[in-house]
Amino acid sequence: MKFTKMHGCGNDYVYVNCFEEKVEDPSETAIKVSDRHFGIGSDGLILIKPSKTADFEMEMYNADGSEGSMCGNGIRCVAKYVYDFGLTDQKNIRVATKSGIKDLELTVEGEKVSQVRVNMGEPVFEAEKIPVLSETNQVIGEPVTVEGREYYMTCISMGNPHAVVPLKELENLKIEETGPKFEKMESFPDRVNTEFVKVLDRHTIQMRVWERGSGETYACGTGACAAAVAAITNHWVEDSPVKVKLLGGDLEIFWDHAENTVYMTGPATIVYSGEINL
């Protein structure tokens, strides 16, 4: 199978051009290629496919083989792939995902895509639609106890479920212990991505993320959007744009209140291409 490894702010996936390749069992393939010792090494697998409703379709699988709905870093890399490898010459494209069609604006420098701005859609606060089990319609700054410690979380969907948790410091966070506790809470029937956030100033937040099905990753685009929206909603920051500092780099998030639409801007990088026998 021919593949290209790419990353957005360190959130790395294996990309397969399904205009040319056929992946029989994407879940099993995702598990194999994601292994950082016996495979290629990645946070998952993304298939770039033809679409009847958009310019392209993105199908994504986490490192554990579970199918995801949307990946903000992944979709930026899809945009770079299809432009840089000549599948399109358009600088505005539409990509179909399980959470709807996304509009992307490509910035091209030297005939290569350097930045991608993604219309990530509306943030969803309704508990039932996220989904999160709650006695209230929205979960905003709600206290929750995990292993005897009280946290405050805000739950938002950006096409997939997120719990945003503010902390005073992130450096000593034992995310490999705390992350799974949030991910598998009974309150989240579909599990949840958890963003641990530290406010740096009135326009900037720092974030570490535990992604369901993948563990801690260097970045999460939908998570950065959810974290920025939560920061604005809870008045931790003034307003958009919000710079989100991740382990793998920075993303700029703009929440257009008039449209109730979130826009994410960030880089996409090709690491290498190759072939693997599965």
Side-chain angles (χ1 to χ4, degrees):
M1 182 185 77
K2 293 181 179 179
F3 70 89
T4 297
K5 181 169 176 174
M6 306 180 71
H7 76 85
C9 292
N11 191 193
D12 61 339
Y13 286 86
V14 171
Y15 292 78
V16 177
N17 178 358
C18 290
F19 287 80
E20 300 177 354
E21 298 282 333
K22 186 174 182 180
V23 181
E24 297 289 350
D25 187 343
S27 292
E28 185 63 28
T29 301
I31 294 171
K32 289 181 178 179
V33 301
S34 297
D35 192 292
R36 297 189 184 274
H37 297 285
F38 300 102
I40 298 165
S42 67
D43 293 325
L45 172 72
I46 290 182
L47 308 181
I48 302 172
K49 307 174 72 174
S51 172
K52 295 180 179 179
T53 58
D55 298 310
F56 302 95
E57 179 182 346
M58 178 181 89
E59 193 174 296
M60 67 158 295
Y61 295 83
N62 297 308
D64 67 353
S66 60
E67 187 173 4
S69 299
M70 174 56 186
C71 175
N73 292 310
I75 202 169
R76 293 200 316 278
C77 289
V78 168
K80 181 173 177 63
Y81 185 101
V82 298
Y83 188 92
D84 286 12
F85 288 105
L87 277 67
T88 185
D89 60 359
Q90 301 300 304
K91 296 179 183 177
N92 290 278
I93 64 171
R94 306 178 80 223
V95 178
T97 73
K98 282 194 70 177
S99 63
I101 295 174
K102 306 299 180 184
D103 295 300
L104 289 76
E105 179 182 332
L106 286 57
T107 298
V108 177
E109 298 177 2
E111 300 183 354
K112 301 292 183 182
V113 171
S114 59
Q115 294 269 326
V116 181
R117 187 176 192 251
V118 186
N119 180 334
M120 299 290 285
E122 296 185 4
V124 175
F125 288 89
E126 290 86 350
E128 186 177 354
K129 294 180 180 179
I130 291 173
V132 54
L133 305 179
S134 175
E135 296 180 357
T136 59
N137 182 49
Q138 298 183 349
V139 178
I140 299 176
E142 184 173 296
V144 59
T145 301
V146 176
E147 289 196 315
R149 178 177 173 181
E150 187 175 67
Y151 298 87
Y152 293 87
M153 71 178 182
T154 296
C155 296
I156 297 167
S157 173
M158 289 300 309
N160 52 2
H162 295 274
V164 182
V165 179
L167 295 175
K168 291 184 178 180
E169 60 90 19
L170 299 178
E171 290 75 16
N172 297 318
L173 171 65
K174 296 181 179 179
I175 197 169
E176 69 282 354
E177 298 176 8
T178 307
K181 300 298 181 183
F182 276 90
E183 178 185 354
K184 299 173 183 178
M185 282 175 59
E186 293 183 0
S187 301
F188 300 106
D190 294 339
R191 297 186 295 166
V192 74
N193 305 288
T194 308
E195 288 74 40
F196 300 95
V197 171
K198 176 183 178 180
V199 178
L200 300 182
D201 58 43
R202 295 294 290 169
H203 300 280
T204 312
I205 61 176
Q206 182 184 357
M207 182 184 108
R208 290 179 67 182
V209 58
W210 182 269
E211 293 196 56
R212 58 177 183 173
S214 293
E216 183 175 24
T217 60
Y218 272 55
C220 175
T222 55
C225 293
V229 169
I232 294 168
T233 301
N234 287 286
H235 305 291
W236 305 334
V237 298
E238 288 182 12
D239 206 342
S240 301
V242 177
K243 178 183 286 188
V244 183
K245 301 184 75 64
L246 305 139
L247 291 178
D250 298 345
L251 294 173
E252 182 180 277
I253 311 299
F254 180 79
W255 183 11
D256 187 319
H257 296 286
E259 298 179 2
N260 193 27
T261 301
V262 179
Y263 294 90
M264 174 193 63
T265 303
T269 302
I270 294 173
V271 181
Y272 62 86
S273 295
E275 289 188 45
I276 184 172
N277 293 322
L278 298 172

